[in-house]
Amino acid sequence: MKRIYIRPIAALLMGFTYLIAQFIEHPVLPTLISLFATITIISFIPYLSKTPMILISGLLILSAALFLMGEGLTEMFRGVRENVGLLAIFIFVPLISLPIRNGQYLDYMDIIFNYYIKTSRQLYAYLKVSLMGIGSVMNLGTIPIMYHLTSTPSFKDYEDTRLRALIRGFAMSFLWSPYFISIALILSYFDVTWFELFPYGFTFALIGILLGFLMMGKVNEQIDIVEKDHDVSIQKAKRKLVELVLIIVVMTALTMTIEHYVDLSVLTIIPIIAIVASTIWSLFFQSPGEYVKDLYDYTQNRLPKMGNELSLFIAAGTFGLAILNAGASEWIIYFIESTGITHMLILLPILALIVNGLSFVGIHPIITNTALAITLSSSPIFEGDHLLLSLGLLIGWMMTILVSPFSATNLMVGNLTNTNSVHVGLKMNWKYALILYALLYAIIAGLYFIGV
C-alpha cells in the first residue's frame, strides 16, 4: 500500500476549503481554513532545509510574541489564513503542467528550436519569449525544462546567452501573469483588478524583452546546428506550438472576462480555471485512470517539494497581520509623514531599495511586500494611487528576481549550471535590471502626471 503524506493532504484541504468558502458562507469554513493552514505549516517545518526553517520559525515566533502582546493567540490562529488565497494559486496552478507534459508540447518546442534557431540573437529571443509565455502558466518549473531543452551540442558555446534569456524571460512574467504570486499578492491587498493591471504589466514585460535585444548590441553569431533525428514534421510541431499558445491565451482571456463580469476575486478564478482546464485538457491525452494516477503522483511527490514556499507564504501572511495589529501601519505612516516622504514618486524607489536590500540578506520579497502592501493599501495618504503603487511594487520585486543571489530563480539557475547565484544573477543582470527599472519608473511617473 502506498504511503499517503499528511503534508500534501493538509495543503489540498486548505486550498479546497478556501475555494468552497468563496461560494458558501458558513462560520465553520474560515475556522477549517485556519486549521488546515496550521497543520500544513507545522507538518512542513521539520522537513525544511536549515535556512528556511530558521527564517520561518523566526517569523512564527515573532508573530506569536506580537499577538500575545495584543489580541492573543486566537487572533494568530485567524492570521495563518491571511495568505491562503495566494496559496490556492500556488497549489493548483502547477496542475496545468500535466497536460503540457503529456501532450508532448515541450518535445515539439524542441523541434521548433532546432529548426529555426540559427544565430545567437535568435537563441536569446526564442528562449526569452518562451520563458515569458510558457513560464507564465508553468512558473518556476519552466526554467530547468527550457535549460535542458537547449543543452545541446549546438548551443553549448552560448551558455551566458541562454542564462540571461532564462532569468530575464521568467522575471518578465512577474509583471503580468495572473498565475504568479506577485500579481496575486497585489490583488489581495490593493483596490485594483487584474483587468486594470494587465495592460500595464504586459507592456512593461514587452519593454523588458525589447531592452534585452538592444543590450545584446550587434553581436549575432552564427550557430552551427547539429541536426537531431525525429519522426515529427516541422509543420506538425508548429501546429502543436500554435495550439499551446492559443490554449494559454484562451485561459488568460477567460480569466480576464470572468473577473470583469463576475464578482469573484482572481485568487478564486485562477485556481478553478487551473483545475478545470488541466482536467479537460489532460483527458485528450490519457484515460481517466491514468489522469488520476498523475494527480496522485502530483499530490504525493510534487506538493511535498513545495514546503519552503507554502510555509513561507503562511508565515509571511501571519507576520504581516501581526505587525499590522501591533500598530506597524501607523508607525510606517508616521515615519513617512515625519520624513516628508509622502509623494508616491519619491516613495517608490525607496521601497525598491528596501525590498532589494532585504532580499540580499535572505529576506524573501513575499515577506517585505506583504508588510508594505498591508500598510500602504490601508493608508489614506495613498488612497487614490493604488494602481501606480501596485506597478511600483511589481517592478521593484522584478529587480529582486533578476539580481538577488537569494531569489529562487537565481538559486535554481546557479544549481543547474554548477555555478553560484551571484554570478548568474547580480553579475549578469545588474545593468539590465537598473536600466529596465529606470525606464519603467519613468513610465509610472508619466502615468502619474497625466492622472492615471
Side-chain angles (χ1 to χ4, degrees):
M1 183 176 177
K2 292 184 177 179
R3 183 179 179 184
I4 298 178
Y5 297 100
I6 189 173
R7 289 168 286 156
I9 295 300
L12 287 170
L13 287 172
M14 173 181 64
F16 276 120
T17 308
Y18 164 79
L19 294 179
I20 293 169
Q22 307 312 301
F23 297 94
I24 301 173
E25 290 189 14
H26 194 284
V28 77
L29 290 175
T31 303
L32 286 176
I33 295 171
S34 291
L35 176 62
F36 294 138
T38 302
I39 294 172
T40 298
I41 194 167
I42 290 174
S43 62
F44 268 114
I45 284 177
Y47 296 91
L48 300 178
S49 51
K50 184 177 179 180
T51 301
M53 182 186 290
I54 293 171
L55 175 61
I56 291 163
S57 300
L59 284 175
L60 292 176
I61 292 169
L62 283 173
S63 298
L66 290 170
F67 279 116
L68 284 171
M69 290 187 293
E71 300 180 22
L73 293 181
T74 301
E75 186 67 10
M76 182 175 178
F77 182 69
R78 188 186 76 80
V80 295
R81 66 173 183 263
E82 186 71 15
N83 273 348
V84 168
L86 310 183
L87 290 163
I89 289 179
F90 198 80
I91 291 166
F92 296 116
V93 164
L95 290 172
I96 299 170
S97 66
L98 298 180
I100 289 178
R101 289 176 182 274
N102 291 324
Q104 299 182 315
Y105 291 99
L106 299 174
D107 295 333
Y108 294 118
M109 184 175 287
D110 186 27
I111 294 168
I112 295 286
F113 268 47
N114 281 276
Y115 185 84
Y116 282 107
I117 296 177
K118 307 297 181 185
T119 68
S120 58
R121 187 180 289 273
Q122 288 175 343
L123 174 62
Y124 179 88
Y126 274 76
L127 198 50
K128 188 171 183 180
V129 171
S130 297
L131 253 296
M132 195 183 90
I134 308 300
S136 68
V137 293
M138 285 188 64
N139 214 295
L140 200 61
T142 320
I143 291 179
I145 291 170
M146 299 306 294
Y147 178 77
H148 291 304
L149 279 180
T150 54
S151 294
T152 65
S154 303
F155 304 138
K156 66 179 181 180
D157 295 328
Y158 301 94
E159 181 82 344
D160 285 357
T161 299
R162 293 163 59 210
L163 299 186
R164 286 189 177 95
L166 286 169
I167 295 169
R168 295 175 186 180
F170 186 76
M172 294 308 100
S173 295
F174 267 75
L175 298 171
W176 68 272
S177 175
Y179 305 100
F180 272 57
I181 292 296
S182 53
I183 297 295
L185 176 70
I186 293 298
L187 298 178
S188 292
Y189 294 104
F190 289 96
D191 187 22
V192 295
T193 66
W194 185 59
F195 196 84
E196 296 169 319
L197 203 60
F198 171 76
Y200 300 105
F202 193 72
T203 301
F204 285 2
L206 294 178
I207 291 170
I209 288 177
L210 179 60
L211 177 65
F213 295 156
L214 295 176
M215 290 187 68
M216 288 187 70
K218 296 181 180 179
V219 177
N220 192 25
E221 298 177 9
Q222 194 73 22
I223 297 177
D224 294 325
I225 300 296
V226 178
E227 296 292 340
K228 286 185 176 181
D229 293 329
H230 52 76
D231 299 326
V232 179
S233 67
I234 188 63
Q235 286 75 21
K236 182 177 180 181
K238 287 193 287 186
R239 285 197 304 271
K240 295 297 290 186
L241 190 57
V242 169
E243 179 184 301
L244 176 60
V245 171
L246 285 175
I247 292 172
I248 292 173
V249 169
V250 168
M251 287 172 57
T252 304
L254 186 61
T255 301
M256 292 180 69
T257 304
I258 294 174
E259 189 202 24
H260 187 66
Y261 290 105
V262 178
D263 187 24
L264 283 175
S265 166
V266 74
L267 303 182
T268 303
I269 298 167
I270 288 172
I272 293 173
I273 286 180
I275 294 167
V276 174
S278 64
T279 301
I280 297 172
W281 195 1
S282 291
L283 293 177
F284 279 95
F285 307 115
Q286 54 188 164
S287 68
E290 290 171 331
Y291 179 57
V292 169
K293 287 180 181 178
D294 275 355
L295 286 178
Y296 178 85
D297 182 69
Y298 173 80
T299 61
Q300 298 303 303
N301 293 312
R302 185 162 178 179
L303 266 181
K305 294 177 182 177
M306 299 180 182
N308 286 350
E309 293 80 6
L310 290 171
S311 303
L312 182 59
F313 297 153
I314 294 173
T318 309
F319 181 67
L321 185 63
I323 62 172
L324 181 66
N325 289 350
S329 180
E330 289 79 11
W331 304 337
I332 294 172
I333 296 303
Y334 175 77
F335 173 78
I336 290 173
E337 289 177 336
S338 63
T339 55
I341 308 172
T342 56
H343 197 289
M344 189 193 66
L345 294 182
I346 299 175
L347 182 64
L348 289 184
I350 295 174
L351 297 182
L353 283 172
I354 292 171
V355 172
N356 280 270
L358 292 176
S359 76
F360 270 76
V361 295
I363 299 178
H364 197 283
I366 191 73
I367 299 171
T368 316
N369 281 306
T370 295
L372 291 174
I374 289 174
T375 299
L376 299 175
S377 63
S378 61
S379 168
I381 299 175
F382 307 106
E383 190 174 0
D385 297 320
H386 280 205
L387 176 60
L388 298 185
L389 266 175
S390 300
L391 294 173
L393 287 176
L394 284 173
I395 65 174
W397 195 337
M398 174 268 300
M399 284 187 71
T400 70
I401 307 306
L402 290 167
V403 300
S404 173
F406 290 102
S407 81
T409 310
N410 291 328
L411 287 169
M412 176 177 283
V413 172
N415 183 58
L416 286 170
T417 58
N418 293 317
T419 183
N420 62 74
S421 57
V422 175
H423 173 74
V424 299
L426 184 62
K427 289 184 179 179
M428 295 182 70
N429 292 304
W430 71 268
K431 188 180 294 185
Y432 170 81
L434 285 176
I435 294 173
L436 180 57
Y437 182 86
L439 284 173
L440 300 184
Y441 174 79
I443 293 172
I444 292 174
L447 293 171
Y448 178 85
F449 287 119
I450 65 175
V452 171

